[in-house]
Amino acid sequence: MSETVELAGQASGTGPALVMLHGLYGSGNNWRGIARQFEKSHRTLLPDLRNHGHSPTHPDMDYRQMAADVLALLDREGIDQASLVGHSMGGKVAMALALTAPQRVEHLLVVDIAPMAYDHSAEHGRIIQAMREVNLGAVRSREDADAALSETIPHAAVRQFLLTNLQREGGHWQWRIPLDILADQLPVIQGWPTGLDTFSDAPVEFIHGEASGYVDDRGRAAISRHFPDATVLSYAGVGHWVHAEDPKRFSTDLHTFLSDNNNP
């Protein structure tokens, strides 16, 4: 097994630990708006997963290893047990952690992903290639980069999300995420590890957007295999970014879920 990396991120608040894990191309800061609402009752940790945000790069994005990164973070912070919330890729990391170290999980809430392999390689390959093709030497502002991306990526919200990874260093613009590694590891990121069993040691909830298609009948079957006691909530008219598209309902549901301190 390869070594863990020391994750960067933010921490605030006091109380039981609440760790919130972001998705592909994101960072811990994606959860900042939601996390603020829990700082009075929880110690919130918003790590940047490996190859994202300000965390180190690493050529291996196996979910067992990414879960080990989060466990190492908990150890450094002196946290024996935490509630985990994860969106998309971060949801897979959270599930892998629960399935490999169940004693460390107090609650598990997974947002718009199931424990199974997906095939969105065409979409993500196009996104990564579009980012690679931006002539950073000619970029003078974020507006320049946005215009370059718009030739391939028509949705402004997607471009603005991707542009959170554009940073200026030494007078030059550069992507802070390693696009070559992400391209190489797409099959791993979209996949799901074999050999993982079931988890029923703590409350588990899945929240998904009905408009996203990430949790269909096949996804529900996969959830039942690995998390037989899980509750599944569907948000009508909501897509993949559940917590961004309906933050009020999501925060309410998360608060209710975390208030349940009884194991199933």
Side-chain angles (χ1 to χ4, degrees), residues 22-26 49-52 58-64 66 87-93 95-96 112-121 124-125 128 177-193 214 240:
H22 63 83
L24 185 59
Y25 316 119
L49 296 172
R50 59 171 61 189
N51 296 317
H52 289 76
H58 195 285
D60 179 9
M61 295 190 70
D62 176 82
Y63 282 110
R64 286 187 179 87
M66 293 176 73
H87 171 246
S88 198
M89 180 186 74
K92 285 189 172 182
V93 175
M95 289 186 284
D112 211 59
I113 202 74
M116 66 182 210
Y118 291 81
D119 184 7
H120 296 144
S121 54
H124 289 296
I128 292 172
I177 53 176
L179 297 176
D180 289 347
I181 292 177
L182 295 184
D184 175 72
Q185 291 292 291
L186 264 182
V188 179
I189 296 167
Q190 295 185 114
W192 176 248
Y214 271 77
H240 186 53

Side-chain angles (χ1 to χ4, degrees), residues 209-258:
E210 288 185 357
S212 83
Y214 271 77
V215 181
D216 54 12
D217 289 344
R218 192 166 66 98
R220 286 175 177 267
I223 290 168
S224 295
R225 283 195 300 273
H226 289 289
F227 303 95
D229 300 316
T231 299
V232 180
L233 301 181
S234 300
Y235 286 16
V238 173
H240 186 53
W241 282 86
V242 177
H243 51 295
E245 295 179 48
D246 197 344
K248 183 176 181 180
R249 180 180 176 185
F250 181 85
S251 296
T252 298
D253 286 340
L254 176 56
H255 183 271
T256 299
F257 178 63
L258 294 176

Side-chain angles (χ1 to χ4, degrees), residues 102-239:
Q103 73 281 5
R104 306 297 295 272
V105 179
E106 185 175 3
H107 300 83
L108 172 65
L109 190 145
V110 180
V111 186
D112 211 59
I113 202 74
M116 66 182 210
Y118 291 81
D119 184 7
H120 296 144
S121 54
E123 173 190 358
H124 289 296
R126 176 176 55 85
I127 287 173
I128 292 172
Q129 188 60 29
M131 296 172 76
R132 280 171 156 173
E133 290 179 352
V134 174
N135 181 1
L136 295 176
V139 168
R140 297 292 177 265
S141 66
R142 291 185 180 275
E143 289 73 19
D144 288 347
D146 181 62
L149 287 174
S150 68
E151 297 176 9
T152 305
I153 302 171
H155 299 292
V158 175
R159 296 198 306 273
Q160 290 307 306
F161 171 58
L162 297 173
L163 287 169
T164 62
N165 292 292
L166 188 66
Q167 60 185 12
R168 192 171 178 83
E169 286 191 7
H172 302 284
W173 291 96
Q174 63 181 24
W175 298 111
R176 70 180 179 184
I177 53 176
L179 297 176
D180 289 347
I181 292 177
L182 295 184
D184 175 72
Q185 291 292 291
L186 264 182
V188 179
I189 296 167
Q190 295 185 114
W192 176 248
T194 59
L196 297 179
D197 199 0
T198 60
F199 176 87
S200 58
D201 297 63
V204 180
E205 187 164 273
F206 285 74
I207 296 178
H208 74 96
E210 288 185 357
S212 83
Y214 271 77
V215 181
D216 54 12
D217 289 344
R218 192 166 66 98
R220 286 175 177 267
I223 290 168
S224 295
R225 283 195 300 273
H226 289 289
F227 303 95
D229 300 316
T231 299
V232 180
L233 301 181
S234 300
Y235 286 16
V238 173

Side-chain angles (χ1 to χ4, degrees), residues 1-4 60 62 64-65 68:
M1 179 178 289
S2 58
E3 72 280 3
T4 59
D60 179 9
D62 176 82
R64 286 187 179 87
Q65 196 58 33

Side-chain angles (χ1 to χ4, degrees), residues 66-78:
M66 293 176 73
D69 292 344
V70 179
L71 285 171
L73 171 65
L74 297 182
D75 291 342
R76 288 195 303 275
E77 296 290 332

